[in-house]
Amino acid sequence: MDEGVFSEWLKVSGDQVQAGDMVYLLEGEKAVQEIESFDSGTLCIPRDAPKPGDKVKVGQVIGYLLADGELEPTSVYPPAWAESQTQAVSATQAVESSKESFITASAPPFSPPRVAGPAARRLARQLGVDIQSLSTPDPTGRILSEDVRRVASASDPSSSLHVPPASSGSGMTAQDARRKSVQPIKAFASPRARRAAMECGVRWDQVKGTGRDGRVRERDIIDFVSRPLSILHDQTVGPVPAIAPVAPIAPGHQEPVSKIRQTIAQRMLAGVQHTAPVTLTTKVNAQALVAWRTKLKQNTSSDIIPSYNDLIVKLVAQTIQELPQLNACWYRDGVYRFSAINIAIAVDTEFGLIAPVINNVPELSLHEIAQQSRKLIDRARCGKLSQAELQGATFTVTNLGMFDIDLFTPIINLPQGAILGMGRIVREPVVCDDRVVVGDTLSLSLTIDHRVIDGAPAARWLQRLSQSIQQPVTFTTGP
């Protein structure tokens, strides 16, 4: 992520913070996360710190952790920037208060504070480098640790760099500083590149990076995976040029999209490009399933009645227990088997498609599954899901039956290896004991990663699920 929305402080100014304490809430693209502190000290929140609802960029200063006896900063911005803002405000007030003469006042040029990560700021303090004076080739203007090292090396040609004496809260002594030497910059990868490499089953350190200082980017991983097999071992071959998008040829206009829409687009594209997707479809006699839910509605005293989606989640988990081949993904040129059965349920919200996770489904009763799914759906539609509630799924169930859809092609949610799509339950003629009668049918669409499992075992899995739908009570209660 490049930016988020500040939600609230979990501590107040003056509180003692220990490393590992949760300090504030940050709203990302799909969830609200608790952010922990990596250092200890006394929390200081200046008046101009972000307020709930303010957008904050990655690396932006929002407060301070102070050592004992350290003076409290009055602003989250550097002194020069804060002074320029004060002078600008004073000049504006002077112009407005003078009705008889023109007052010309010039404030220092606007220079917003530099964006830098915690590691870069910590290294700058240790090496005595002013973050505001640094330049970086990064197009976003974000200061990285290597920028600090480069400037520090240029200011001291010798091999050892001067590290100012540490303050009481820095955790570094003069002896530590003498031992510390600047290491040569090594090739590294962005978090998104590492995630893409893991999903594609490749080692990022074997990919030639096109970023600054050989940094491996997500596009490098995608280009590497997209190359023809015959040239993968040719180290002289650079990344395959990306295909330019086809421009629209009819009149229209470009609409801006939200961060979550961009994330969904990236994830869906990755689900197609980084897997070998195959979709199997079937139609099941759902008369017993309908009768089962009708009985549950009549016999339950709870306000929460299991939905058809809840029933299928329960049956899917038990089918996975019998035939666990689908509870896996492709990783590092092999099949990775999940030990837990955690099922994500796709939820349509005004923000976009979100898939919260029900953990350890086989251990839950049907009523517990219904309670958790209702809670997750409500939190998803209110935008209050935590990151933990969106992670760890090993299989996904998605339902479009409420929109009168019978069959569709669901896209695998990486790093999972399969996803089940549910269509609508339809009243229609069915053949029973050589007689045509009115019955209920349910259409299912199972998309698998053919690298993980072949078509025949996947078909057997779908066949077993279909049998359980036709005899759900017997299947869930066991022998």
Side-chain angles (χ1 to χ4, degrees):
M1 58 188 296
D2 298 316
E3 66 178 15
V5 177
F6 184 83
S7 293
E8 64 174 303
W9 290 100
L10 299 178
K11 294 182 179 292
V12 298
S13 192
D15 282 356
Q16 288 296 318
V17 175
Q18 302 297 327
D21 287 353
M22 299 301 173
V23 183
Y24 63 93
L25 297 180
L26 181 68
E27 181 180 347
E29 296 168 345
K30 290 189 175 182
V32 177
Q33 305 178 53
E34 292 183 333
I35 307 300
E36 67 173 305
S37 172
F38 294 100
D39 299 299
S40 301
T42 302
L43 179 62
C44 172
I45 307 174
R47 290 185 177 182
D48 56 0
K51 303 296 187 295
D54 288 352
K55 289 186 178 181
V56 290
K57 293 185 177 295
V58 172
Q60 177 179 333
V61 175
I62 64 171
Y64 299 92
L65 289 177
L66 307 179
D68 293 339
E70 190 173 356
L71 294 178
E72 293 188 2
T74 58
S75 173
V76 294
Y77 301 109
W81 185 88
E83 182 181 355
S84 69
Q85 293 299 99
T86 302
Q87 293 183 16
V89 171
S90 299
T92 302
Q93 292 175 346
V95 171
E96 292 178 350
S97 62
S98 177
K99 302 294 183 178
E100 299 177 355
S101 61
F102 293 96
I103 299 177
T104 59
S106 60
F110 177 79
S111 178
R114 306 303 302 276
V115 176
R121 293 184 181 276
R122 187 179 298 112
L123 184 62
R125 290 196 300 269
Q126 294 170 359
L127 301 180
V129 175
D130 181 13
I131 286 284
Q132 288 298 109
S133 64
L134 293 183
S135 61
T136 175
D138 194 303
T140 66
R142 178 182 173 85
I143 301 299
L144 302 177
S145 297
E146 51 264 36
D147 298 322
V148 179
R149 294 192 184 98
R150 185 181 63 254
V151 172
S153 300
S155 63
D156 187 352
S158 63
S159 59
S160 61
L161 292 176
H162 170 68
V163 180
S167 65
S168 59
S170 68
M172 176 177 287
T173 64
Q175 186 177 5
D176 295 331
R178 285 192 294 271
R179 292 197 193 105
K180 189 175 182 67
S181 62
V182 177
Q183 300 296 326
I185 299 172
K186 299 180 180 180
F188 57 98
S190 68
R192 292 176 65 171
R194 292 173 185 268
R195 183 168 59 246
M198 182 186 69
E199 293 170 351
C200 298
V202 300
R203 291 181 53 180
W204 67 264
D205 55 354
Q206 294 181 346
V207 178
K208 182 179 180 181
T210 60
R212 179 164 51 88
D213 297 325
R215 180 184 179 93
V216 179
R217 298 179 291 180
E218 182 183 34
R219 70 182 66 175
D220 299 325
I221 300 295
I222 295 175
D223 290 339
F224 180 83
V225 175
S226 303
R227 295 185 196 179
L229 187 61
S230 60
I231 68 171
L232 281 180
H233 300 291
D234 185 356
Q235 301 298 323
T236 63
V237 178
V240 178
I243 300 176
V246 179
I249 59 175
H253 65 280
Q254 184 80 10
E255 288 186 352
V257 296
S258 63
K259 287 284 186 180
I260 188 173
R261 184 74 259 160
Q262 294 176 350
T263 301
I264 292 172
Q266 293 169 357
R267 298 294 295 175
M268 294 300 100
L269 186 61
V272 175
Q273 291 182 335
H274 300 163
T275 64
V278 175
T279 301
L280 311 177
T281 63
T282 189
K283 182 182 286 188
V284 185
N285 187 335
Q287 191 165 355
L289 187 71
V290 174
W292 184 25
R293 185 167 187 270
T294 301
K295 185 177 180 179
L296 289 172
K297 291 171 64 177
Q298 294 172 347
N299 296 340
T300 184
S301 58
S302 172
D303 294 335
I304 300 178
I305 300 173
S307 65
Y308 286 114
N309 207 74
D310 298 329
L311 304 184
I312 294 298
V313 166
K314 180 67 173 178
L315 297 178
V316 163
Q318 292 187 327
T319 305
I320 290 176
Q321 282 186 303
E322 282 194 12
L323 303 172
Q325 297 97 321
L326 288 186
N327 202 46
C329 68
W330 187 259
Y331 179 61
R332 290 183 176 175
D333 295 328
V335 176
Y336 182 91
R337 303 286 181 189
F338 296 112
S339 56
I341 301 176
N342 305 328
I343 298 182
I345 51 175
V347 181
D348 176 44
T349 73
E350 61 177 310
F351 316 108
L353 180 65
I354 299 178
V357 184
I358 303 175
N359 294 310
N360 301 313
V361 177
E363 301 176 8
L364 303 177
S365 68
L366 185 57
H367 182 68
E368 289 172 330
I369 292 173
Q371 283 183 318
Q372 289 200 26
S373 66
R374 177 72 61 85
K375 175 184 175 183
L376 291 171
I377 291 171
D378 291 343
R379 287 172 59 80
R381 289 175 175 164
C382 294
K384 295 183 179 180
L385 285 173
S386 67
Q387 191 65 28
E389 292 170 321
L390 292 168
Q391 292 180 335
T394 64
F395 191 95
T396 298
V397 172
T398 178
N399 187 352
L400 292 179
M402 69 287 292
F403 303 113
D404 296 333
I405 299 299
D406 293 320
L407 297 168
F408 58 102
T409 306
I411 298 177
I412 294 173
N413 186 17
L414 291 175
Q416 300 162 39
I419 180 173
L420 178 71
M422 289 177 56
R424 60 176 175 167
I425 295 178
V426 183
R427 294 282 290 174
E428 62 182 7
V430 298
V431 177
C432 181
D433 296 330
D434 294 331
R435 293 183 299 109
V436 177
V437 297
V438 177
D440 299 291
T441 62
L442 169 65
S443 296
L444 300 175
S445 306
L446 176 67
T447 299
I448 61 167
D449 186 347
H450 213 310
R451 299 175 303 171
V452 177
I453 186 172
D454 291 332
R460 283 193 290 271
W461 188 95
L462 189 57
Q463 181 184 52
R464 186 66 186 101
L465 177 63
S466 300
Q467 293 170 353
S468 70
I469 291 174
Q470 296 175 63
Q471 297 178 326
V473 177
T474 302
F475 187 74
T476 54
T477 55

